[in-house]
Amino acid sequence: MITLKSPREIEMMDESGELLADVHRHLRDFIKPGITGWDIEVFVRDFIESHGGVAAQIGFEGYKYATCISVNDEICHGFPRKEVLKKGDVVKVDMCIDLKGAMSDSCWAYVVGEATPEVAKLMEVTRNALYKGIEQAQVGNRIGDIGHAIQTYVEGEGYGVVRDFIGHGIGPTIHEAPAVPHYGEAGKGLRLKEGMVITIEPMVNTGTWRMKMDPNGWTAYTLDGGLSCQFEHTIAITKEGPQILTSQGEEGTY
């Protein structure tokens, strides 16, 4: 069932999203050569809890960590580990926060040290794809408009957009209806209504969009070993247009 949020509920989710955005802002300086994914996990969990939030991913469908930390060819749902991160690694940090019962969800990609031209281009395209999707998150548009905008842009840049993992509704739990694919046909699918809150979270690969699963049952990898990148925001559908609830304040216009 799709729940339509009231202005007060959206305001509460915006407060949750601001806390999540603040975590990501602090990670910009925290992530550097020599630290580990586990260091990021501890930092994130401590930051959330010290600011009155709950790391909502812990216990969700049996998941054990506050973060998903996916490196290089890991598409998503990577476990935080004690392996040292090295220069040039692409690190995706995904987390969900419950703040006073209000949910928010955002993944952001970081490069450890200086980005190579290949990594810089992949990150640019993925981030652009996110905002092209957000641009379509308008009252009266359809779910397919979001996916079509993302897919046509990403494939036009020569990359693959993952199909096996998609965006979703959020609140009161982490995963709610509707499903929000990052591919599809314009004008098709569920019509967007005021009060919906969804995530848009394209995962973009340098090669094929196809994936393979780790034996751990959680982590997905690119099938060809290519790099993968992801950016994600939580979005409220309002009559004034899409409201980014996890805005870090520097996304630019769309």
Side-chain angles (χ1 to χ4, degrees), residues 8 12 15-16 19 51-54 97-103:
R8 174 56 183 154
M12 291 176 65
E15 292 174 3
S16 177
L19 174 56
H51 287 78
V54 175
I97 291 179
D98 180 339
L99 183 65
K100 302 175 185 177
M103 290 286 184

Side-chain angles (χ1 to χ4, degrees), residues 68-204:
C68 294
I69 299 177
S70 308
V71 182
N72 294 334
D73 65 333
E74 294 174 332
I75 296 171
C76 61
H77 303 156
F79 292 173
R81 302 183 296 273
K82 295 185 178 180
E83 298 169 9
V84 173
L85 297 172
K86 61 185 185 300
K87 291 181 181 179
D89 282 342
V90 181
V91 182
K92 290 82 69 177
V93 183
D94 192 1
M95 71 191 82
C96 299
I97 291 179
D98 180 339
L99 183 65
K100 302 175 185 177
M103 290 286 184
S104 57
D105 184 2
S106 177
C107 178
W108 217 248
Y110 305 86
V111 63
V112 181
E114 187 174 349
T116 64
E118 178 189 26
V119 167
K121 179 66 183 297
L122 174 63
M123 294 178 72
E124 178 186 19
V125 168
T126 308
R127 185 163 161 160
N128 288 346
L130 168 64
Y131 292 105
K132 288 184 180 296
I134 291 173
E135 191 175 45
Q136 296 300 317
Q138 308 279 352
V139 172
N141 277 4
R142 294 187 180 271
I143 290 287
D145 296 324
I146 296 173
H148 179 75
I150 292 171
Q151 182 182 11
T152 52
Y153 170 69
V154 169
E155 292 181 351
E157 294 291 329
Y159 295 103
V161 61
V162 173
R163 289 158 172 71
D164 301 87
F165 299 95
I166 59 178
H168 51 85
I170 182 171
T173 66
I174 292 176
H175 280 187
E176 299 275 335
V180 185
H182 306 110
Y183 60 94
E185 293 184 55
K188 300 290 186 180
L190 184 77
R191 194 175 296 280
L192 299 172
K193 296 182 179 180
E194 182 181 359
M196 287 182 177
V197 180
I198 62 174
T199 71
I200 300 176
E201 47 185 294
M203 295 159 232
V204 175

Side-chain angles (χ1 to χ4, degrees), residues 18 21 25 28 127 131 233 244 246-252:
E18 171 55 31
R25 284 191 287 262
R28 298 175 194 175
R127 185 163 161 160
Y131 292 105
H233 273 313
I244 303 175
T246 48
S247 169
Q248 297 177 35
E250 297 180 2
E251 293 88 0

Side-chain angles (χ1 to χ4, degrees), residues 19-90:
L19 174 56
L20 201 163
D22 203 25
V23 180
H24 279 306
R25 284 191 287 262
H26 279 78
L27 286 176
R28 298 175 194 175
D29 294 325
F30 185 80
I31 294 176
K32 54 190 174 185
I35 71 165
T36 69
W38 189 252
D39 293 329
I40 298 172
E41 165 74 11
V42 172
F43 176 86
V44 168
R45 184 168 180 173
D46 287 349
F47 193 101
I48 293 170
E49 293 177 353
S50 67
H51 287 78
V54 175
Q57 287 182 168
I58 298 175
F60 179 71
E61 297 183 353
Y63 193 73
K64 298 179 180 180
Y65 309 106
T67 60
C68 294
I69 299 177
S70 308
V71 182
N72 294 334
D73 65 333
E74 294 174 332
I75 296 171
C76 61
H77 303 156
F79 292 173
R81 302 183 296 273
K82 295 185 178 180
E83 298 169 9
V84 173
L85 297 172
K86 61 185 185 300
K87 291 181 181 179
D89 282 342
V90 181

